[in-house]
Amino acid sequence: MKKPLVIGNWKMNLDYVEAIHLMQQIGVLLRNKPVEHTDLVVTPPFVDLRSVTSVVESDRIPVSVAAQHASQHESGAYTGETSVAMLQRLNVRWVLVGHSERRSYFQMTDDVVASTLRAVVRSGVQAVLCFGEELASREAGEHFDVVASQLQAALAGLDEQVRPLVTLAYEPVWAIGTGRTASVEQVAEMMDFIRATAASLSLDEPHVLYGGSVNADNAGAIMSEGRVDGFLVGGASLKAESFVAIAHASDDCYDGKR
Ligand code: PEP
């Protein structure tokens, strides 16, 4: 089993004061009961990044910081956008690319996902490529085709030297923020499919995460029976207790306690 990775996506929640508070709470819980086998990442809104990286550094919290999105462009007349280089200057080490909310609400097409992914990894920053089918595709039995096409569009032709910087996050849209988690069987068969598709695109054994209504109660079973390498967590990452409990559930799986 690879060293698991648990990423919290705070979405458009928490102003910078609230974000500092949550980060400090996570730091306290991790000091009281360290997470030993799982890498942790939090993904605050852009305006909170500087405050959160400062708390992480000053309190020496064993958590990396990610951005929720980045521009596909390097610099220039792109009002409202944030470049990967700007994020790097803030000690941001990871960027989510192509989250389903970016795809559906902000018209992020497969082409833009592909160029954003390249902008991120070209700078040496870790990318979490998010993908997954909508409910209608799942019900029509087209989920494998959708996932294959999203992976192909984002990964085909990616330079060999940057491929190790890519982590994959399967997030069925119907499971995000709905409380309707994919079953462990659905996750397990999709994990096999994603790993085979990634190999056919020359992506060598990437971490493959699951996201969609993960919480402290279901994380252990999804990791062990669903055979995932970690989680992308939305709602349950907004409370220090539930985020750290998911990290401990992941630790227990790695440690063979589940
Ligand atoms: C997400 O935002 O990527 C996510 C999976 O959200 P939730 O855990 O709330 O379903």
Side-chain angles (χ1 to χ4, degrees):
M1 186 177 173
K2 294 189 187 65
K3 189 175 188 198
L5 174 64
V6 173
I7 304 178
N9 175 15
W10 297 357
K11 310 196 189 198
M12 198 175 73
N13 295 295
L14 311 180
D15 64 26
Y16 84 96
V17 177
E18 296 165 327
I20 289 172
H21 190 57
L22 176 56
M23 200 61 245
Q24 288 171 331
Q25 286 180 316
I26 292 172
V28 169
L29 293 179
L30 292 177
R31 251 191 314 281
N32 290 346
K33 187 176 177 201
V35 167
E36 290 170 29
H37 308 294
T38 301
D39 288 325
L40 300 179
V41 179
V42 295
T43 314
F46 282 121
V47 293
D48 301 347
L49 286 171
R50 181 79 181 121
S51 310
V52 170
T53 52
S54 296
V55 173
V56 164
E57 283 156 28
S58 64
D59 294 3
R60 296 170 191 258
I61 303 172
V63 169
S64 299
V65 178
Q68 298 175 15
H69 176 63
S71 175
Q72 61 186 305
H73 304 291
E74 279 181 24
S75 64
Y78 300 103
T79 302
E81 289 288 274
T82 303
S83 74
V84 178
M86 292 169 183
L87 296 169
Q88 270 180 303
R89 290 277 286 153
L90 294 176
N91 286 341
V92 168
R93 303 280 179 241
W94 295 77
V95 177
L96 306 187
V97 178
H99 190 280
S100 69
E101 288 152 16
R102 302 288 326 165
R103 291 179 189 257
S104 60
Y105 304 144
F106 303 101
Q107 293 75 48
M108 196 172 184
T109 60
D110 276 346
D111 283 352
V112 178
V113 170
S115 49
T116 306
L117 183 76
R118 279 154 183 74
V120 172
V121 294
R122 208 171 36 226
S123 304
V125 173
Q126 307 264 357
V128 182
L129 173 66
C130 305
F131 55 93
E133 79 286 354
E134 307 223 0
L135 185 59
S137 305
R138 167 67 64 169
E139 286 174 347
E142 291 163 358
H143 42 292
F144 293 120
D145 293 341
V146 170
V147 164
S149 135
Q150 289 174 324
L151 288 175
Q152 165 80 25
L155 298 173
L158 194 64
D159 282 349
E160 193 178 340
Q161 63 271 29
V162 296
R163 286 182 209 147
L165 292 170
V166 178
T167 291
L168 303 178
Y170 169 61
E171 299 204 295
V173 178
W174 46 271
I176 297 179
T178 59
R180 181 178 169 188
T181 318
S183 70
V184 291
E185 293 78 18
Q186 287 172 322
V187 175
E189 67 172 3
M190 189 53 95
M191 288 295 130
D192 289 344
F193 179 76
I194 291 165
R195 290 189 176 105
T197 307
S200 75
L201 291 163
S202 307
L203 202 65
D204 197 20
E205 300 195 9
H207 271 76
V208 189
L209 313 182
Y210 166 80
S213 300
V214 172
N215 58 43
D217 295 331
N218 60 27
I222 298 174
M223 182 165 278
S224 51
E225 293 165 50
R227 302 193 294 276
V228 305
D229 302 317
F231 303 110
L232 181 51
V233 185
S237 73
L238 291 171
K239 293 267 179 287
E241 293 75 13
S242 46
F243 181 62
V244 172
I246 292 169
H248 283 130
S250 156
D251 244 30
D252 286 351
C253 285
Y254 187 85
D255 219 10
K257 290 191 198 142
R258 278 177 195 264

